[in-house]
Amino acid sequence: AGDGDGDGDGDDAAAKRVAADEDWRRMLRARSGMVDKAHRLLARYVEWRRAFTPLFPAPMEPAAVEASIRSAKAYRWPHRDKRGRVVAIVHADKHMAAACPAEETEAFIVFMLDALVAAMPPGTHQFVAIFDLARFGRANVDVSAAKAIIRILSTAYPERLGGIYIVNEGWLFWSVWQLIRPFIDARSAAKIHMLGAPDAHRPALLEHFDAEALPAAYGGRAREAAPSGEALWRAAVAAYERGKAKEEGRKGEGGGESGGDGGGSAVGGAGGDARAAPVAGGP
């Protein structure tokens, strides 16, 4: 499975980086243990990586998604859930669909997913996300972005999603949900939980998070506040520089360890260092 790029080039560096044992196991799980289908999935992933991030495993330059980073619409939270999984928080009201081209939206999705993967501690292979839909309005509706998240997760990051907790959802979300639900497979849909208003979602989230690890806005007692866009940007740039230097060091030494599907990316853990993440409080 290590040369699953479909062209028989077993020495291909990108194939080696993505075809680590854990990546192959995830591909197999995603395709119900069917080796041929898992192999095709891995081949498509390598092809996608070459096209989308041609310098991979070098980190993606944050300037490509600067506006999205500065918006603070999504970031990695510094705490984990009760199962040790890394956490993303998404504020849907900060995504202005008309002002964010589809290309940047897709790049930012990859940027964030690579950040979450890079921040995963040993033995943990999934992330969870809190999607906050407070103040979600028509200007924030972006069906194309939702479809892109679904597509990228299923084809490039299979079995990475541990759960999505949607809070403060209103009637507008339910209208959008009817449009995107047909594109979500049953296994993924089972991981999406609609938790409602604060009186409902706060006790529900505390079933999955320790109070000290959950933001106060969601019923927890975490000391950290939501990060500013400027703090996120500074952290992203710093993480990029560290990741770039680390990757150059690997090349200078004649190679490096496999980094999986995002282990060499910035914003969340340059080169896999979880401490480099643009989390609440900055670098």
Side-chain angles (χ1 to χ4, degrees):
D3 58 346
D5 58 356
D7 61 7
D9 184 6
D11 293 327
D12 184 86
K16 286 183 177 180
R17 285 298 295 265
V18 301
D21 287 347
E22 175 54 33
D23 296 302
W24 180 241
R25 285 195 291 269
R26 287 190 300 100
M27 300 288 179
L28 280 172
R29 289 196 297 269
R31 293 298 179 263
S32 302
M34 301 183 71
V35 174
D36 288 346
K37 289 186 176 181
H39 192 278
R40 286 195 293 272
L41 179 61
L42 180 61
R44 286 196 297 270
Y45 171 71
V46 173
E47 182 179 358
W48 170 81
R49 267 295 180 192
R50 287 170 173 158
F52 198 88
T53 52
L55 299 180
F56 182 81
M60 183 190 298
E61 191 167 358
V65 288
E66 179 176 357
S68 292
I69 294 171
R70 288 184 178 276
S71 73
K73 61 186 174 184
Y75 49 87
R76 184 176 68 80
W77 183 240
H79 298 286
R80 300 177 186 139
D81 72 355
K82 289 181 178 180
R83 295 174 59 180
R85 297 175 295 189
V86 295
V87 180
I89 295 181
V90 180
H91 297 279
D93 66 307
K94 294 184 179 182
H95 174 70
M96 297 298 150
C100 192
E103 294 80 8
E104 178 172 344
T105 295
E106 184 161 335
F108 185 61
I109 293 167
V110 173
F111 204 64
M112 279 300 306
L113 290 172
D114 280 354
L116 295 168
V117 171
M120 291 176 183
T124 302
H125 309 291
Q126 291 187 321
F127 73 93
V128 298
I130 297 173
F131 273 69
D132 190 345
L133 273 68
R135 300 172 298 280
F136 180 74
R138 294 184 184 277
N140 312 123
V141 174
D142 194 339
V143 175
S144 295
K147 289 181 179 179
I149 293 173
I150 295 165
R151 172 174 49 80
I152 292 170
L153 276 174
S154 64
T155 59
Y157 302 82
E159 298 296 306
R160 287 296 192 189
L161 178 63
I164 292 178
Y165 307 107
I166 297 176
V167 302
N168 299 314
E169 69 273 24
W171 67 269
L172 183 57
F173 164 76
W174 286 107
S175 299
V176 176
W177 178 249
Q178 299 306 315
L179 297 175
I180 64 175
R181 175 60 184 86
F183 298 94
I184 305 174
D185 64 83
R187 289 178 62 186
S188 297
K191 299 177 181 180
I192 301 174
H193 311 279
M194 320 296 187
L195 302 184
D199 60 343
H201 75 237
R202 288 177 175 175
L205 286 172
L206 286 170
E207 295 179 9
H208 303 281
F209 295 85
D210 291 327
E212 290 74 19
L214 192 64
Y218 308 127
R221 296 194 297 270
R223 291 176 295 175
E224 294 85 356
S228 68
E230 180 61 28
L232 290 170
W233 172 247
R234 290 198 308 268
V237 172
Y240 169 72
E241 294 298 336
R242 285 191 292 269
K244 184 178 178 181
K246 190 170 184 177
E247 188 56 38
E248 289 174 350
R250 284 198 188 101
K251 290 180 179 178
E253 296 170 0
E257 297 298 322
S258 173
D261 51 10
S265 212
V267 163
D273 183 355
R275 295 170 297 176
V279 298

